[in-house]
Amino acid sequence: MNKKSIRINLLLNNLRNIISYIFPFITFPYITRILGPEKLGTVEYASSIVSYFALFAYLGVPTYGTRLISATRDDNKRLSMAVAELSLLLLISTIIVLFVYVLFFFVFSNMFVPRVLFIILGFNILLSVFNYEWFYIGIEDQSFITKRFLIIKIVSVICLFCFIKQSSDYILYVFINVIVGGLGTIFNILNLRHYLCVVNLKELKPFKHLVPVLVTFGATVAVSVYTYVDIIMIGSICGDLYVGYYSAANKFVTIAVTLVVTLGSVLLPRLSNLLENGKEEAYKEKLYKSMNYTLLIAIPLSLGMIILGPDLLQLMAGTKYKDSEGTLQILAIVIGVIPFSHYVGFQILYANKKERVYTTAVIIGAIANLCSNIFLIPRFQHNGAAIGTVIAEVVGFITMSVMGNKYIRKYTTFSWKLLFYLISSAVMVFVIVFFKKCFNLNVIINIFVGVITYFLCILFFIKISKTSLKAFLKNIHF
């Protein structure tokens, strides 16, 4: 099997992420305006409930599978056996989850949202569980993922603009998303035949993966508390309207976080493979570059979103979502926290097979989130959930850093030059605030001014530190 370079994979992954950022800028203003906060809230509320069923069907296979595939990809028989064994685990878990989902549907569904939403989203459980994204990430086939992603996104956008015309089309909106997502799953399954060979079913031992899968699953469930419980609790306590406010702000933050953690997603298979083959120095070199990349992007993005997020939200979603502005500013803090949690949790702890440490830290963060939500949501609605999310992310990161301190010190190299990013970000903030108050410029122009200011500061520090631009770029270049 051909090995793709990290540089090509990162380029393709970034291309996919750029596309994924462009499409929301096309669809987000349209969907938020057409559906409105309440119907958007209804969709997000139902999706969050169903996502929990999908989560239990997934177990911890996507994360565990990526590492397992990266370790076995050079041996076609071992690779095929691994895929078959994990597929059997997924099949068993999915059958159990679908049985429970049917019971839920008949007993509780009408208490929350229209039943038809749960019927449509129920198919999404089956379609999403068997999408085999973890396999393609593990073998580092970013080319196929990117091509498929582009096709799916184009089809999705065309369908949205052709068929979604009024707020009552929210059910059709969900149906389109499920069908288009299902096409991606079909593409993935059909393409597997190019990588796998026939295996003897009698040789399969799927349950040998059960313990590590369940350990990973614990972390996945805990992380989902941040992702889904917020929305479920807001919907149950405050109503769909407030879910709509929260979801609009959260979508912006999710896009920003994805931009930063995309490198970690690309690196995880390669980092696991390096450690598997005893190449610790190469592993440490990749980590250092990853840390530089994270600092370069995460800090200015977080501060920029706090300052310019409300203006950008109003431009994209309209005045109906004015109540989302404060939520966005609160949630923007996690843009500067999550990437570092991802760095410590996945690139260091998980790559070193210390998933128990990662899981414990995430569970502690999830408990902090639940406790915060219980007290804050009834009083502050969607803003209370945002505060709870920030508290949870900070608690999780601190816990992870303390428990994994041994591995952080062993593999992470810190440099005083990392202060470049902090000082440059501070200067950027000052300039943006000055331009906002004195010139009242359009938010797009303010973003442009902030980006230019930030990178001019970086160049200035490169100059005074007598570091060549080539050497600096080498520290973030893969």
Side-chain angles (χ1 to χ4, degrees):
M1 186 179 297
N2 295 326
K3 292 184 178 180
K4 311 291 193 300
S5 72
I6 290 179
R7 190 176 304 170
I8 293 173
N9 282 328
L10 183 58
L11 178 64
L12 289 170
N13 197 282
N14 279 330
L15 174 62
R16 192 166 72 251
N17 279 292
I18 289 170
I19 294 169
S20 71
Y21 303 139
I22 292 173
F23 278 110
F25 278 100
I26 298 171
T27 59
F28 184 75
Y30 182 76
I31 291 300
T32 51
R33 283 175 166 82
I34 292 294
L35 297 186
E38 189 165 358
K39 293 303 182 186
L40 178 65
T42 301
V43 171
E44 293 294 334
Y45 183 47
S47 298
S48 295
I49 293 173
V50 176
S51 293
Y52 260 104
F53 287 94
L55 189 71
F56 277 84
Y58 267 125
L59 294 178
V61 168
T63 305
Y64 172 77
T66 297
R67 189 178 70 188
L68 180 64
I69 297 304
S70 69
T72 59
R73 65 189 181 193
D74 298 323
D75 184 328
N76 191 248
K77 183 177 179 181
R78 286 181 64 208
L79 176 68
S80 301
M81 291 281 286
V83 173
E85 288 168 345
L86 292 182
S87 296
L88 273 176
L89 273 183
L90 286 172
L91 180 62
I92 294 168
S93 64
T94 302
I95 290 172
I96 295 170
V97 166
L98 286 176
F99 175 75
V100 176
Y101 185 77
V102 170
L103 292 179
F104 170 84
F105 171 77
F106 284 111
V107 177
F108 297 109
S109 60
N110 261 353
M111 294 172 59
F112 301 102
V113 292
R115 273 190 170 184
V116 66
L117 270 186
F118 284 111
I119 294 173
I120 297 170
L121 289 168
F123 287 101
N124 200 42
I125 297 174
L126 186 63
L127 293 171
S128 62
V129 167
F130 291 98
N131 69 3
Y132 291 99
E133 194 85 7
W134 46 271
F135 171 80
Y136 294 102
I137 294 173
I139 63 172
E140 299 187 72
D141 190 355
Q142 296 289 341
S143 175
F144 171 76
I145 297 174
T146 302
K147 290 174 185 174
R148 187 217 64 203
F149 177 83
L150 184 58
I151 292 170
I152 294 301
K153 281 295 180 183
I154 291 172
V155 172
S156 175
V157 170
I158 292 172
C159 289
L160 289 179
F161 281 105
C162 287
F163 300 111
I164 309 301
K165 300 295 183 182
Q166 53 193 359
S167 61
S168 58
D169 291 333
Y170 70 100
I171 293 175
L172 182 59
Y173 168 67
V174 173
F175 179 77
I176 289 172
N177 285 334
V178 170
I179 293 299
V180 173
L183 288 176
T185 297
I186 293 170
F187 288 157
N188 284 357
I189 292 174
L190 291 176
N191 196 56
L192 282 175
R193 69 183 189 278
H194 298 303
Y195 298 94
L196 306 177
C197 64
V198 178
V199 297
N200 187 344
L201 295 178
K202 294 181 180 179
E203 295 180 4
L204 297 181
K205 299 176 181 178
F207 294 106
K208 73 179 182 180
H209 302 289
L210 190 59
V211 172
V213 161
L214 290 177
V215 171
T216 306
F217 175 62
T220 306
V221 170
V223 168
S224 74
V225 171
Y226 310 164
T227 310
Y228 306 126
V229 166
D230 286 352
I231 291 175
I232 294 174
M233 289 184 72
I234 295 169
S236 301
I237 297 170
C238 307
D240 291 346
L241 180 64
Y242 293 97
V243 173
Y245 291 146
Y246 182 84
S247 298
N250 194 46
K251 284 182 185 296
F252 269 87
V253 172
T254 301
I255 291 171
V257 168
T258 305
L259 175 64
V260 189
V261 301
T262 184
L263 176 63
S265 302
V266 174
L267 274 179
L268 181 58
R270 186 61 59 94
L271 293 174
S272 299
N273 192 266
L274 287 172
L275 287 175
E276 189 78 19
N277 292 289
K279 298 178 181 178
E280 283 200 1
E281 288 305 313
Y283 170 76
K284 288 174 70 173
E285 181 187 345
K286 296 291 185 290
L287 276 183
Y288 181 71
K289 291 182 176 183
S290 177
M291 172 60 80
N292 271 276
Y293 174 87
T294 301
L295 283 165
L296 177 70
I297 304 297
I299 298 171
L301 196 56
S302 177
L303 294 174
M305 188 68 78
I306 291 172
I307 299 167
L308 297 175
D311 297 331
L312 190 60
L313 182 65
Q314 189 169 10
L315 175 69
M316 298 294 293
T319 55
K320 290 180 181 178
Y321 292 87
K322 187 167 181 60
D323 286 347
S324 299
E325 293 177 2
T327 313
L328 176 57
Q329 289 179 303
I330 297 168
L331 286 174
I333 297 171
V334 304
I335 301 172
V337 179
I338 292 177
F340 296 104
S341 296
H342 196 275
Y343 171 82
V344 174
F346 281 93
Q347 297 177 46
I348 295 180
L349 296 178
Y350 202 84
N352 280 275
K353 299 182 179 180
K354 299 298 175 184
E355 54 265 34
R356 290 178 187 270
V357 176
Y358 170 71
T359 300
T360 302
V362 174
I363 289 173
I364 291 172
I367 293 170
N369 192 16
L370 277 173
C371 294
S372 300
N373 283 349
I374 290 170
F375 288 104
L376 295 172
I377 290 178
R379 176 170 292 187
F380 302 109
Q381 293 85 41
H382 50 299
N383 289 330
I387 295 169
T389 297
V390 173
I391 291 171
E393 292 292 352
V394 171
V395 168
F397 173 64
I398 292 173
T399 306
M400 200 180 300
S401 299
V402 171
M403 295 180 67
N405 184 48
K406 171 185 174 182
Y407 297 95
I408 296 172
R409 286 189 286 107
K410 181 179 180 180
Y411 293 116
T412 300
T413 303
F414 293 99
S415 168
W416 64 270
K417 293 178 182 178
L418 299 180
L419 291 172
F420 289 179
Y421 308 121
L422 293 172
I423 298 171
S424 299
S425 297
V427 174
M428 178 198 75
V429 168
F430 175 80
V431 171
I432 291 175
V433 171
F434 175 78
F435 270 75
K436 275 191 72 176
K437 288 187 175 181
C438 296
F439 301 105
N440 195 28
L441 300 175
N442 178 277
V443 62
I444 302 300
I445 297 175
N446 278 324
I447 292 173
F448 181 74
V449 168
V451 171
I452 295 298
T453 301
Y454 178 70
F455 283 105
L456 283 177
C457 288
I458 294 291
L459 290 174
F460 170 76
F461 281 118
I462 291 172
K463 183 73 175 176
I464 65 172
S465 65
K466 298 180 180 179
T467 303
S468 69
L469 181 60
K470 183 178 180 181
F472 173 80
L473 293 174
K474 187 178 179 181
N475 286 332
I476 59 172
H477 195 238
F478 291 85

